[in-house]
Amino acid sequence: MSFPSPIRTSDFEALRDSCGRVINNLRISVTDRCNFRCRYCMPENGMVWMKKSDLLTYEEIDRLARLFADLGVCKIRLTGGEPLMRKDLHRLVKRLAAIPGIGDLALTTNGYFLEEQANDLIRAGLGRVNVSLDSLDASTFNGLTRRDYYAKVWKGLEIVQGLGVGPIKINVVLIRGVNDDEIGEFGRLARARQYIVRFIEFMPIGLDDDWSSEKVVPAKEVVERLEKEIGTRLQPIERWGRQPADRYVFDDGIGEIGFISSVSEPFCERCNRVRITSDGKLRTCLFSLEETDLKGPLREGSDDEQLKHAILEAVWNKERGHLINRPDFVRPGRTMSQIGG
Ligand code: SAM
Ligand code: SF4
């Protein structure tokens, strides 16, 4: 679909697509590298990392983020790969926290380096942290991540909690037969620690993940199992809000649970996100088969209006929805770590 012409970016108080969705949430991947090897994300061996010179510099990320903020983006999440593997990430956080209009600056991490970096990141202006923790059993965790880092991730979590930032969210990718027997344990964690536990449905996007629809544990089933295990009903709190995560709280008000149900209950019609990969490609859907290169124009000297034009046009053409549940679904050619999950 062609973008309305002529393009007068000053007319846009918000970044919109052709379906009328307002895009205010930008996920920025800062690296494709990772020190874990989660089975649903990447293979143990053979990952070919991007060349360092292909990664956007912090100056380039800052410039793009400012343009997105001018166009109405108010939330930024840093991700990867493992974002804390990028040197001195707090320097980038400081720059992004200073952008007018960015009210929410968050990080998704595997937690390994939080022990060393959390203090600098929070002081630089990071507002929130999501930590991926797929099991509360050390041997299951180590099996899933192919690393023996369970205790260190917990150290990092404790440090973030001690710094008083929050709410801390725990991302759990549930895989039937692997960690779904821990649904109740995660419910108890949400109640005991005031972490928001978010169950993410296993998605067909990795390279080594052995995905099948039978391994997806649908949100509906998780709600039923949680209620049974905890003995308390869950009440929806933001069921039809703008957030992709559906949020619930236990009836007694203790313990929040979120769901990212991309497979069983796609939230495409409410999607408010776009992504920039670490090599500077704009992706308008996690499952996009096409990307818009921003790094090339950036490095070739495009001015702000030209870059905004490219952003507006790409966002205008954002996919109506993903096709996971259709026979003609085609997996994107990149892993979640390369896209920036
Ligand atoms: N390394 C960081 C981490 O693990 O939190 C950030 C990047 S990781 C790609 C972002 C999120 O994507 C994590 O919560 C991870 O569990 C999730 N993820 C990766 N592959 C997935 C898959 N196939 N299905 C569902 N979620 C996935
Ligand atoms: Fe690394 Fe995150 Fe992928 Fe796990 S999910 S391999 S921690 S990028």
Side-chain angles (χ1 to χ4, degrees), residues 34 36-38 40-42 81-82 110 337:
C34 190
F36 285 28
R37 290 291 181 279
C38 303
Y40 50 71
C41 182
M42 62 168 83
E82 174 44 44
N110 64 29
S337 58

Side-chain angles (χ1 to χ4, degrees), residues 23 25-27 68 272-276 282-284 315:
I23 308 304
N25 187 324
L26 176 65
R27 299 173 81 93
F68 274 93
N272 59 353
R273 298 176 175 176
V274 293
R275 297 175 153 76
I276 301 177
L282 174 58
R283 293 180 65 90
T284 47
V315 169

Side-chain angles (χ1 to χ4, degrees), residues 236-304:
I237 38 181
E238 204 176 332
R239 184 88 186 139
W240 302 112
R242 293 214 67 82
Q243 303 292 322
D246 284 328
R247 299 170 55 201
Y248 288 75
V249 66
F250 287 101
D251 232 356
D252 56 6
I254 304 169
E256 184 176 327
I257 306 288
F259 293 94
I260 304 275
S261 318
S262 313
V263 181
S264 72
E265 293 174 48
F267 46 81
C268 305
E269 66 193 41
R270 292 179 280 142
C271 182
N272 59 353
R273 298 176 175 176
V274 293
R275 297 175 153 76
I276 301 177
T277 63
S278 49
D279 57 346
K281 306 282 193 287
L282 174 58
R283 293 180 65 90
T284 47
C285 173
L286 190 52
F287 298 95
S288 290
L289 298 175
E290 284 176 21
E291 303 175 330
T292 299
D293 182 32
L294 295 178
K295 184 184 70 188
L298 201 61
R299 293 190 180 173
E300 284 151 19
S302 291
D303 64 23
D304 285 356

Side-chain angles (χ1 to χ4, degrees), residues 184-205:
E185 273 312 301
F186 277 109
R188 281 184 273 279
L189 178 75
R191 289 166 67 76
R193 289 259 184 170
Q194 294 192 322
Y195 296 159
I196 298 176
V197 171
R198 299 196 324 156
F199 293 106
I200 303 177
E201 286 181 352
F202 183 22
M203 294 177 233
I205 203 162

